[in-house]
Amino acid sequence: MKKDYSLIIDTFIIGIIGSVCAQIFIVLLHFISKFSLDYLVGYIPQDTIKLLSNYTNYGEYNAVMLLIVIVTGGLISGFLVYTFAPEAEGHGTDTVIRAFHRQGGYLRGVVVPVKIIASAVTIGTGGSAGREGPTALFSAGVGSLYSNFRKVGWKRRQIYVLIGMASGLSAVFKAPLGTSIFAIEVLYADNEFETRELIYLLFGPLIAYTITGFLFGWEPIFHVPNVQVTEVKTYLEIVILGIASGAIGLILPNVFYGVRDFFRSLPVKPHVKPAIGALLVGIIALYFPEVLGGGYGFIQESINGNMLGYFVLFLLIAKILAFSFTVGSGGSGGVFAPSLFIGAMLGAFVGYLLHAPIAAFVIIAMASVFGAAARTPLATIIMVVEMTGGYSLLAPTTLGVLSAYIVHNMLARIIQPKYISLYEAQLLNKEYSISYQMDKIRDILICHSKILNLKKAVVQREDIISLLEKGEAVEVGDNKYVFFGTFTKEVKLNEGDLFKKYRGAEILYVFRNGRWLHNSVITSIKEGDEVLLIGKKETIDVIKNEFIPLSQTFAKLRIQEESIQ
């Protein structure tokens, strides 16, 4: 009961702080937009117009000044991020996912102010990015900082980070339930959820939503006419829309990360790369100014039926390139809003071709594209419905997202692209998470401690993670060493007294295709199996050459982190 009271109070505090930080970010973003784009350029993206005032763009904007402003924004953002907090580069959500899986939720305190300022500068000067990624990162940083203050363990820190992330997103998008589910769904790519302390993950975003509602109003982000989908023909057309959304959902991450990989390969300082990306976005914006910013205003225009024809198809392509250049170059901004924009344009185009209800198709495509591209179908359905207030479209939206998700999976299996998700730090499921694997291996060793005469204190020491990442043989007592690595060939195992053996070493467990297999159910080791074994030092030294002394599966996030640094 004491734990419950403590968590309630902590969640309440994190929800308040996360909401306040999100509002500070939005106010700063609007101030920078007003000065740089309105005063200097003479143009403000429509989503910013709506939030600032009843401002309307008049006449021609200054194209040269636009290029100067957006490139300057890229330079400032690049300097801030790569000088003070390199982990804050890009859209931010991947950083939270990595921190959750690899670092027990730890995020450096400097990430919070750097991400707020750098993202406000990037988006406020015209960068083609959204608010959700930065909000996710600095709000998660609030949860991590609060964990330092409370001196809690890493498992509780992970929960506080998720509460912070969900609370900040709820304050920005006014979608408390959807953002709660997003926080627990985005961690994994295979329909798995982080359900620890779920009730508190719902409570934090509710607090943030309530504060935002009282201060700034309760209206949803988008206004949707009362649309009903009642005809069988329309539902069949929604399946077609879902198929198209699934294809776009697979194209998006590969274009985005392809651009990101290209920028990382450029032989220039990372501080300058966001400015190069910004210049490319500025050139696109000379022809399609609609790509500037997150694009919420133009999403609303498409819902209203004011953006139709083949023009929206060109906007779709332009937005894919623009947001890839902004965020892929290292600029600070999110991928959620651009994905909604792309989905909205797709929905408007398909609705136009099929003579279907445009507003419904725009909303359904928004959810379908992002749900497939981000591997978060459930969260996206609820978030988009909450953001639009289109609860009457819940069933058709679910059909569209489900169709897109299935098509995305089918295409991914057939084509086998390099990237399948907008969040590359996602793990397939919990079995691939370092934090869970640490517990799993400790449980295995503790379970066998009496049989193998292992010392529990040694088994439970913190450097056991080296088994997973460094390929080191770790002593666990009585001249016995545990080793974990990837086997390079297929061999038959010999029977032992208690465990099957390979060249004198005892096989404890084998990790194969995402599952831990006890030695009793295997007769051989296959090439690519990741094997946990125990033996004397001289035995391990002999057979180590037959292993890749590193778990490639569990090294994924470490490799990503090193490439960023």
Side-chain angles (χ1 to χ4, degrees):
M1 185 64 70
K2 184 177 180 181
K3 170 194 169 186
D4 292 342
Y5 288 140
S6 173
L7 265 175
I8 290 173
I9 294 171
D10 290 342
T11 301
F12 184 79
I13 294 172
I14 293 171
I16 292 175
I17 299 174
S19 176
V20 170
C21 287
Q23 299 307 328
I24 291 173
F25 169 57
I26 291 176
V27 170
L28 182 61
L29 169 60
H30 294 169
F31 174 78
I32 293 174
S33 294
K34 183 72 175 175
F35 174 75
S36 61
L37 293 180
D38 178 16
Y39 179 72
L40 296 179
V41 178
Y43 178 87
I44 294 186
Q46 280 193 248
D47 50 318
T48 309
I49 293 172
K50 176 187 172 185
L51 295 168
L52 281 173
S53 63
N54 292 323
Y55 177 93
T56 303
N57 288 313
Y58 296 104
E60 294 292 328
Y61 60 88
N62 190 324
V64 174
M65 187 57 69
L66 170 63
L67 294 178
I68 294 173
V69 165
I70 196 170
V71 170
T72 302
L75 285 172
I76 295 172
S77 175
F79 170 78
L80 289 173
V81 168
Y82 291 104
T83 301
F84 301 105
E87 66 269 40
E89 65 127 20
H91 57 78
T93 308
D94 267 340
T95 304
V96 179
I97 298 172
R98 288 190 192 96
F100 180 90
H101 289 307
R102 278 188 45 79
Q103 300 165 334
Y106 175 75
L107 290 163
R108 292 196 301 152
V110 70
V111 167
V112 176
V114 168
K115 194 63 178 178
I116 289 176
I117 298 171
S119 301
V121 169
T122 297
I123 304 170
T125 55
S128 185
R131 301 190 292 257
E132 108 291 338
T135 304
L137 180 52
F138 65 68
S139 299
V142 167
S144 181
L145 286 172
Y146 186 77
S147 300
N148 295 342
F149 170 75
R150 293 278 284 115
K151 295 182 172 62
V152 298
W154 67 268
K155 289 189 177 181
R156 180 68 66 88
R157 181 193 295 273
Q158 285 181 318
I159 299 301
Y160 287 170
V161 162
L162 295 185
I163 292 172
M165 176 169 70
S167 299
L169 291 174
S170 177
V172 171
F173 296 118
K174 299 183 180 180
L177 181 57
T179 54
S180 300
I181 297 175
F182 178 80
I184 63 176
E185 188 177 21
V186 74
L187 301 171
Y188 305 102
D190 196 23
N191 277 339
E192 192 151 341
F193 300 85
E194 186 62 49
T195 54
R196 285 180 290 155
E197 313 294 356
L198 179 59
I199 190 66
Y200 303 101
L201 279 165
L202 296 170
F203 181 53
L206 178 62
I207 296 298
Y209 169 74
T210 303
I211 293 172
T212 302
F214 275 116
L215 293 178
F216 301 101
W218 303 93
E219 298 83 6
I221 299 294
F222 301 110
H223 299 282
V224 180
N226 186 18
V227 182
Q228 300 283 341
V229 178
T230 57
E231 297 182 5
V232 174
K233 171 178 173 289
T234 307
Y235 278 95
L236 294 177
E237 291 170 341
I238 289 171
V239 173
I240 296 173
L241 177 62
I243 293 171
S245 299
I248 295 295
L250 190 61
I251 292 171
L252 266 183
N254 285 280
V255 173
F256 171 63
Y257 283 114
V259 170
R260 191 280 310 270
D261 293 343
F262 168 75
F263 273 97
R264 284 189 177 174
S265 68
L266 290 179
V268 296
K269 292 190 68 173
H271 304 66
V272 181
K273 292 178 182 179
I276 300 173
L279 176 61
L280 296 174
V281 174
I283 293 172
I284 294 174
L286 295 180
Y287 301 94
F288 299 101
E290 294 86 355
V291 303
L292 296 173
Y296 287 123
F298 294 107
I299 293 174
Q300 183 63 59
E301 288 295 301
S302 64
I303 292 173
N304 296 341
N306 297 329
M307 300 185 72
L308 298 171
Y310 287 89
F311 173 68
V312 296
L313 188 60
F314 291 114
L315 278 184
L316 183 154
I317 297 170
K319 188 67 172 182
I320 291 176
L321 295 175
F323 102 84
S324 297
F325 289 143
T326 295
V327 186
S329 64
S332 190
V335 299
F336 178 65
S339 299
L340 293 187
F341 181 99
I342 292 162
M345 297 306 111
L346 177 66
F349 180 68
V350 174
Y352 167 77
L353 291 180
L354 299 178
H355 304 287
I358 298 297
F361 268 49
V362 167
I363 293 168
I364 293 168
M366 286 163 58
S368 300
V369 168
F370 185 75
R375 312 289 296 172
T376 56
L378 180 59
T380 306
I381 291 170
I382 299 173
M383 280 182 69
V384 170
V385 168
E386 286 182 304
M387 290 171 66
T388 60
Y391 295 98
S392 62
L393 294 174
L394 182 59
T397 300
T398 302
L399 176 62
V401 173
L402 180 62
S403 302
Y405 192 75
I406 292 173
V407 169
H408 181 279
N409 286 345
M410 291 174 60
L411 290 176
R413 282 195 295 268
I414 295 170
I415 301 173
Q416 296 185 342
K418 186 175 181 180
Y419 301 101
I420 64 169
S421 173
L422 283 171
Y423 301 114
E424 67 167 346
Q426 284 175 332
L427 298 180
L428 188 61
N429 54 51
K430 291 179 182 178
E431 294 295 338
Y432 292 92
S433 172
I434 285 289
S435 57
Y436 280 94
Q437 291 302 337
M438 288 171 62
D439 287 342
K440 181 70 175 180
I441 287 185
R442 286 197 183 99
D443 289 344
I444 290 172
L445 296 177
I446 291 172
C447 181
H448 295 88
S449 59
K450 287 187 178 181
I451 299 174
L452 298 172
N453 194 27
L454 306 180
K455 296 178 181 179
K456 286 189 178 181
V458 176
V459 170
Q460 292 177 325
R461 70 192 193 194
E462 287 300 319
D463 66 353
I464 205 78
I465 194 172
S466 63
L467 292 173
L468 303 177
E469 296 195 305
K470 298 179 181 177
E472 296 177 356
V474 177
E475 186 177 7
V476 289
D478 196 24
N479 192 31
K480 291 183 178 178
Y481 287 75
V482 175
F483 179 75
F484 187 70
T486 304
F487 208 58
T488 57
K489 59 183 179 181
E490 183 169 347
V491 296
K492 290 286 185 180
L493 298 178
N494 300 319
E495 293 292 337
D497 295 334
L498 295 173
F499 302 96
K500 292 185 173 67
K501 292 186 175 183
Y502 175 67
R503 299 183 65 174
E506 295 178 309
I507 307 298
L508 298 181
Y509 270 79
V510 172
F511 188 76
R512 179 185 297 164
N513 297 328
R515 296 177 58 201
W516 282 99
L517 303 176
H518 189 265
N519 78 93
S520 62
V521 300
I522 58 174
T523 58
S524 64
I525 300 176
K526 298 181 179 180
E527 182 180 355
D529 280 353
E530 300 185 20
V531 183
L532 178 66
L533 50 83
I534 188 168
K536 294 183 178 181
K537 184 67 164 61
E538 52 269 25
T539 303
I540 299 295
D541 288 340
V542 169
I543 65 174
K544 276 179 70 172
N545 293 331
E546 300 177 32
F547 286 81
I548 300 172
L550 177 69
S551 167
Q552 297 297 328
T553 300
F554 305 133
K556 173 185 175 185
L557 299 183
R558 178 186 60 78
I559 293 169
Q560 289 180 17
E561 194 169 55
E562 287 179 354
S563 68
I564 291 172
Q565 294 172 349

